[in-house]
Tab-separated table of all heavy atoms in Angstrom:
chain	number	residue	atom	x	y	z
F	1	MET	N	67.208	85.685	195.242
F	1	MET	CA	67.548	84.771	194.162
F	1	MET	C	66.413	84.753	193.151
F	1	MET	O	65.253	84.663	193.521
F	1	MET	CB	67.783	83.364	194.732
F	1	MET	CG	68.495	82.411	193.779
F	1	MET	SD	67.393	81.548	192.652
F	1	MET	CE	66.377	80.649	193.797
F	7	VAL	N	60.859	76.986	185.849
F	7	VAL	CA	60.909	75.570	186.173
F	7	VAL	C	60.521	75.395	187.629
F	7	VAL	O	60.765	76.270	188.464
F	7	VAL	CB	62.317	74.994	185.925
F	7	VAL	CG1	62.640	74.982	184.461
F	7	VAL	CG2	63.364	75.770	186.697
F	37	ALA	N	77.964	69.408	205.219
F	37	ALA	CA	76.920	69.844	204.299
F	37	ALA	C	75.790	70.542	205.045
F	37	ALA	O	75.658	70.457	206.267
F	37	ALA	CB	76.383	68.648	203.503
F	69	PRO	N	63.500	48.408	201.368
F	69	PRO	CA	63.119	49.481	202.296
F	69	PRO	C	64.257	50.487	202.498
F	69	PRO	O	65.418	50.131	202.437
F	69	PRO	CB	62.843	48.708	203.597
F	69	PRO	CG	63.749	47.518	203.510
F	69	PRO	CD	63.818	47.133	202.068
F	94	ILE	N	74.902	66.903	196.374
F	94	ILE	CA	73.717	66.594	197.173
F	94	ILE	C	73.858	65.162	197.681
F	94	ILE	O	73.990	64.226	196.886
F	94	ILE	CB	72.422	66.757	196.353
F	94	ILE	CG1	72.273	68.217	195.918
F	94	ILE	CG2	71.207	66.324	197.170
F	94	ILE	CD1	70.998	68.493	195.122
F	160	ARG	N	85.975	61.125	147.341
F	160	ARG	CA	84.972	61.248	146.290
F	160	ARG	C	84.057	62.438	146.594
F	160	ARG	O	83.786	62.742	147.752
F	160	ARG	CB	84.121	59.976	146.203
F	160	ARG	CG	84.900	58.694	146.016
F	160	ARG	CD	83.942	57.506	146.027
F	160	ARG	NE	84.647	56.277	146.330
F	160	ARG	CZ	84.048	55.115	146.549
F	160	ARG	NH1	82.725	55.047	146.489
F	160	ARG	NH2	84.751	54.039	146.827
F	167	ARG	N	72.398	74.068	145.379
F	167	ARG	CA	73.080	75.358	145.372
F	167	ARG	C	72.134	76.429	145.889
F	167	ARG	O	70.945	76.437	145.550
F	167	ARG	CB	73.557	75.719	143.971
F	167	ARG	CG	74.387	77.002	143.960
F	167	ARG	CD	74.988	77.291	142.615
F	167	ARG	NE	75.841	78.472	142.681
F	167	ARG	CZ	76.506	78.976	141.647
F	167	ARG	NH1	76.420	78.385	140.455
F	167	ARG	NH2	77.266	80.043	141.794
F	211	THR	N	59.543	62.309	150.466
F	211	THR	CA	60.299	61.073	150.510
F	211	THR	C	60.997	60.871	149.181
F	211	THR	O	60.785	61.596	148.216
F	211	THR	CB	59.372	59.885	150.816
F	211	THR	OG1	58.345	59.845	149.825
F	211	THR	CG2	58.756	60.026	152.191
F	283	SER	N	58.196	68.121	158.716
F	283	SER	CA	57.761	69.486	159.036
F	283	SER	C	58.362	69.999	160.342
F	283	SER	O	58.127	71.155	160.708
F	283	SER	CB	56.233	69.540	159.130
F	283	SER	OG	55.762	68.629	160.120
F	300	PRO	N	71.844	83.520	191.152
F	300	PRO	CA	72.077	83.336	192.588
F	300	PRO	C	72.014	84.655	193.342
F	300	PRO	O	72.256	85.733	192.772
F	300	PRO	CB	73.484	82.725	192.630
F	300	PRO	CG	74.153	83.241	191.401
F	300	PRO	CD	73.062	83.328	190.355
F	302	TRP	N	74.063	85.757	195.533
F	302	TRP	CA	75.362	86.422	195.687
F	302	TRP	C	75.783	87.165	194.411
F	302	TRP	O	76.674	87.995	194.450
F	302	TRP	CB	76.436	85.405	196.076
F	302	TRP	CG	76.709	84.345	195.042
F	302	TRP	CD1	77.465	84.449	193.921
F	302	TRP	CD2	76.195	83.007	195.044
F	302	TRP	NE1	77.463	83.285	193.204
F	302	TRP	CE2	76.702	82.368	193.879
F	302	TRP	CE3	75.378	82.281	195.897
F	302	TRP	CZ2	76.410	81.045	193.565
F	302	TRP	CZ3	75.094	80.975	195.581
F	302	TRP	CH2	75.596	80.360	194.439
F	313	SER	N	76.828	66.190	183.817
F	313	SER	CA	77.556	65.925	182.575
F	313	SER	C	76.778	65.020	181.644
F	313	SER	O	76.858	65.134	180.416
F	313	SER	CB	78.916	65.287	182.899
F	313	SER	OG	79.712	66.160	183.658
F	327	ASP	N	70.012	56.171	166.260
F	327	ASP	CA	69.946	54.822	165.712
F	327	ASP	C	70.115	54.788	164.200
F	327	ASP	O	69.873	53.753	163.574
F	327	ASP	CB	68.619	54.157	166.090
F	327	ASP	CG	68.554	53.812	167.566
F	327	ASP	OD1	69.612	53.489	168.136
F	327	ASP	OD2	67.464	53.880	168.145
F	401	ASN	N	90.148	62.010	163.068
F	401	ASN	CA	90.942	62.826	162.159
F	401	ASN	C	92.326	62.228	161.944
F	401	ASN	O	92.980	62.479	160.944
F	401	ASN	CB	91.061	64.240	162.712
F	401	ASN	CG	91.428	65.254	161.651
F	401	ASN	OD1	90.983	65.162	160.528
F	401	ASN	ND2	92.250	66.207	162.015
F	500	CYS	N	74.677	41.410	176.571
F	500	CYS	CA	73.308	40.885	176.525
F	500	CYS	C	72.309	41.925	177.006
F	500	CYS	O	72.602	42.737	177.886
F	500	CYS	CB	73.185	39.645	177.413
F	500	CYS	SG	74.146	38.239	176.842
F	525	LEU	N	81.389	41.831	163.694
F	525	LEU	CA	80.362	42.021	162.672
F	525	LEU	C	79.524	40.771	162.440
F	525	LEU	O	78.499	40.835	161.765
F	525	LEU	CB	81.012	42.440	161.354
F	525	LEU	CG	81.527	43.882	161.273
F	525	LEU	CD1	82.315	44.088	159.993
F	525	LEU	CD2	80.379	44.872	161.375
F	534	GLU	N	87.523	44.568	176.589
F	534	GLU	CA	88.064	44.454	177.941
F	534	GLU	C	89.567	44.663	177.880
F	534	GLU	O	90.286	43.883	177.248
F	534	GLU	CB	87.725	43.093	178.550
F	534	GLU	CG	86.242	42.897	178.807
F	534	GLU	CD	85.962	41.730	179.736
F	534	GLU	OE1	86.929	41.090	180.195
F	534	GLU	OE2	84.779	41.471	180.011
F	573	GLY	N	90.871	24.778	153.004
F	573	GLY	CA	89.906	23.849	152.459
F	573	GLY	C	88.544	23.946	153.089
F	573	GLY	O	87.717	23.044	152.956
F	577	ALA	N	84.600	33.152	155.146
F	577	ALA	CA	84.725	34.537	154.706
F	577	ALA	C	86.123	35.083	154.934
F	577	ALA	O	86.574	35.976	154.247
F	577	ALA	CB	83.704	35.411	155.434
F	600	PRO	N	74.260	28.746	183.276
F	600	PRO	CA	73.954	27.339	183.014
F	600	PRO	C	75.136	26.530	182.510
F	600	PRO	O	75.104	25.313	182.542
F	600	PRO	CB	72.843	27.415	181.960
F	600	PRO	CG	73.050	28.725	181.285
F	600	PRO	CD	73.568	29.640	182.336
F	612	TYR	N	84.459	31.091	183.618
F	612	TYR	CA	83.104	31.501	183.242
F	612	TYR	C	83.121	32.060	181.828
F	612	TYR	O	84.133	32.600	181.363
F	612	TYR	CB	82.562	32.520	184.232
F	612	TYR	CG	82.427	31.962	185.630
F	612	TYR	CD1	83.472	32.069	186.546
F	612	TYR	CD2	81.271	31.294	186.018
F	612	TYR	CE1	83.357	31.527	187.820
F	612	TYR	CE2	81.151	30.754	187.294
F	612	TYR	CZ	82.195	30.882	188.187
F	612	TYR	OH	82.077	30.330	189.442
F	644	HIS	N	97.383	37.735	184.399
F	644	HIS	CA	98.042	38.490	185.460
F	644	HIS	C	98.141	37.624	186.711
F	644	HIS	O	97.233	36.859	187.021
F	644	HIS	CB	97.286	39.775	185.800
F	644	HIS	CG	98.066	40.696	186.691
F	644	HIS	ND1	98.994	41.588	186.213
F	644	HIS	CD2	98.074	40.841	188.032
F	644	HIS	CE1	99.526	42.248	187.217
F	644	HIS	NE2	98.993	41.812	188.329
F	647	LYS	N	100.555	38.676	193.072
F	647	LYS	CA	101.589	38.133	193.940
F	647	LYS	C	101.185	38.130	195.404
F	647	LYS	O	101.473	37.186	196.138
F	647	LYS	CB	102.881	38.937	193.772
F	647	LYS	CG	103.522	38.786	192.401
F	647	LYS	CD	104.830	39.557	192.331
F	647	LYS	CE	105.483	39.390	190.958
F	647	LYS	NZ	106.763	40.147	190.861
F	665	ASP	N	92.518	17.468	162.034
F	665	ASP	CA	93.680	17.015	161.288
F	665	ASP	C	94.917	17.776	161.754
F	665	ASP	O	94.945	18.344	162.839
F	665	ASP	CB	93.438	17.213	159.795
F	665	ASP	CG	92.261	16.368	159.306
F	665	ASP	OD1	92.051	15.288	159.888
F	665	ASP	OD2	91.571	16.805	158.366
F	698	GLN	N	107.087	36.694	176.420
F	698	GLN	CA	108.487	37.101	176.341
F	698	GLN	C	109.145	36.628	175.047
F	698	GLN	O	110.328	36.817	174.835
F	698	GLN	CB	109.250	36.555	177.548
F	698	GLN	CG	108.765	37.148	178.871
F	698	GLN	CD	109.378	36.457	180.072
F	698	GLN	OE1	109.971	35.396	179.946
F	698	GLN	NE2	109.245	37.076	181.234
Side-chain angles (χ1 to χ4, degrees):
M1 195 274 299
V7 292
I94 297 181
R160 305 177 200 172
R167 185 174 184 180
T211 57
S283 58
W302 64 80
S313 298
D327 289 327
N401 200 37
C500 294
L525 286 172
E534 293 196 1
Y612 297 91
H644 191 84
K647 293 183 179 180
D665 297 329
Q698 295 172 347

